[in-house]
Amino acid sequence: MKEGLPLWEVFVRAKGGLSHRHVGSVHAADPKMAVDAARDVYTRRMEGVSLWVVPSAAITASDPGDAACLFEPAQDKVYRHPTFYVVPDNVKHI
Amino acid sequence: MAHDLAVRLGDDALILGHRLSEWCGHAPTLELDLALTNIGLDLIGQAQLFLGLAAAAEGEGRDADALAYRRTEDAFQNCLLAEQPNGDFARTIARQFLFSAWQELLLRRLADAADQEIAAIAGKAVKEVTYHASFAAGWVVRLGDGTAESHQRMIAGLDWCWRFTGELFEDGCAALRTEWDARVDKVLAQAGLDAPEPVRGITGGRRGRHSEHLGHLLAQMQYLPRAYPDAVW
């Protein structure tokens, strides 16, 4: 059974206004079971107000071998960092 | 009246909560280990509140711990279903499904009860129990409609528990029966299971007449507080 059940990635929204964040994964046979398992494993200590579960198989990941061409060209483009203006004190979570 | 009700509700929750704690480290998967012990902890929390209320109502200076750890078997008023051994995972699920479906119906009514303290605890607990009932129903369907072996085990689990269900509707709970029957039938139909044949029910838990299993459970649960009274850590 342990080997047989598909893996699901779990995302938790910590509170209203924040986006869902990846927190880990669970094994489950169907979507309801995955939500139940995610609830029991990852939100026991008031970590969240909303859950997403996504079949791990549905995720397409970038190829680590492509990292050089995908990500390194961004390294010397400091002008793309939005650091040239002042963030108001009341704006959180940017 | 309110005192007896609080003792019954508290004892049901305490004994079933302890049973679920026995799964800790033994469940089929990590996810289920957490799920079952979470439910157990919810129930032990409810037991603390209901037994605290019962202890205050009797006014003899006892608290919830005294009721939980220093009563003997014949003073417990939990239903017999709650004390039944875990068996395999399917039997634990059968027990949880039949019990939580009943407990949810009862707590929903009590949340509007005239007794404000009972109503407050019931209102808090019903949110927990709604999840327990939904979790267990999901597994009844999954096992009943799963493999040939899980189907057989689910049947065996329901058969084991069925004779203890009549007792749930004693002591003023008769009005819950129709709704409970409909709910159980619906989930069993979804699971491709027939309701077990009517059997001669076994009862007596509410009057302190328990199966041999409760004594063993209490021996384990009460050992520490009896051996080291008022120990703290």
Side-chain angles (χ1 to χ4, degrees):
Chain A
M1 174 175 170
K2 280 170 207 160
E3 291 79 28
L5 293 184
L7 196 63
W8 302 67
E9 300 303 320
V10 179
F11 299 81
V12 174
R13 185 201 291 281
K15 57 181 180 180
L18 297 190
S19 46
H20 287 73
R21 286 184 71 129
H22 184 244
V23 293
S25 53
V26 292
H27 289 92
D30 54 64
K32 172 178 162 39
M33 183 176 159
V35 170
D36 283 0
R39 181 262 189 195
D40 289 327
V41 175
Y42 292 109
T43 65
R44 292 180 296 146
R45 303 185 180 92
M46 302 192 301
E47 288 93 338
V49 296
S50 166
L51 275 169
W52 287 350
V53 292
V54 179
S56 304
I59 291 177
T60 306
S62 62
D63 184 343
D66 292 341
C69 69
L70 288 177
F71 308 119
E72 283 177 22
Q75 281 174 6
D76 60 352
K77 315 277 196 300
V78 288
Y79 49 84
R80 288 181 183 160
H81 288 277
T83 54
F84 306 108
Y85 57 87
V86 176
V87 179
D89 287 343
N90 291 334
V91 177
K92 314 287 189 203
H93 312 304
I94 274 191
Chain B
M1 172 65 196
H3 169 260
D4 288 343
L5 181 62
V7 173
R8 288 200 297 270
L9 292 166
D11 285 350
D12 282 352
L14 178 68
I15 300 303
L16 186 54
H18 184 85
R19 276 287 181 236
L20 289 167
S21 80
E22 294 171 359
W23 274 107
C24 189
H26 300 281
T29 64
L30 176 148
E31 289 85 342
L32 290 171
D33 210 283
L34 286 166
L36 293 173
T37 44
N38 275 349
I39 295 176
L41 279 176
D42 284 347
L43 290 171
I44 289 168
Q46 295 169 17
Q48 229 167 3
L49 296 171
F50 281 124
L51 292 180
L53 188 59
E58 71 181 14
E60 289 171 24
R62 297 201 287 184
D63 59 8
D65 278 1
L67 291 184
Y69 295 127
R70 295 189 193 157
R71 276 181 303 159
T72 48
E73 198 181 330
D74 54 357
F76 275 81
Q77 295 181 36
N78 60 281
C79 61
L80 297 173
L81 181 61
E83 73 200 41
Q84 293 310 306
N86 288 337
D88 61 5
F89 179 65
R91 196 206 289 172
T92 289
I93 286 298
R95 185 184 63 197
Q96 199 63 46
F97 167 60
L98 299 171
F99 178 82
S100 296
W102 168 82
Q103 198 195 15
E104 186 188 337
L105 293 175
L106 177 58
L107 291 177
R108 272 194 202 293
R109 298 198 179 202
L110 291 177
D112 299 322
D115 185 311
Q116 298 215 331
E117 288 175 306
I118 294 262
I121 301 173
K124 177 180 183 293
V126 76
K127 293 179 202 153
E128 298 168 339
V129 174
T130 302
Y131 179 76
H132 305 168
S134 145
F135 169 86
W139 272 102
V140 169
V141 173
R142 222 168 273 126
L143 295 175
D145 195 23
T147 64
E149 183 176 354
S150 72
H151 182 81
Q152 275 314 316
R153 285 181 182 236
M154 200 61 239
I155 290 175
L158 286 164
D159 280 348
W160 174 282
C161 296
W162 201 249
R163 62 206 137 141
F164 304 111
T165 53
E167 186 185 30
L168 299 174
F169 304 98
E170 296 176 352
D171 300 293
C173 291
L176 305 175
R177 179 99 222 194
T178 319
E179 216 177 324
W180 184 85
D181 279 340
R183 189 163 176 183
V184 168
D185 287 349
K186 190 174 155 198
V187 172
L188 293 184
Q190 223 183 326
L193 297 162
D194 297 321
E197 296 293 317
V199 285
R200 185 164 161 200
I202 306 176
T203 178
R206 301 296 189 205
R207 268 148 289 281
R209 295 196 302 276
H210 292 280
S211 62
E212 70 274 25
H213 307 297
L214 184 66
H216 294 279
L217 183 154
L218 293 184
Q220 191 184 44
M221 188 180 84
Q222 296 182 336
Y223 168 76
L224 199 72
R226 284 189 187 273
Y228 304 96
D230 304 317
V232 288
W233 69 82

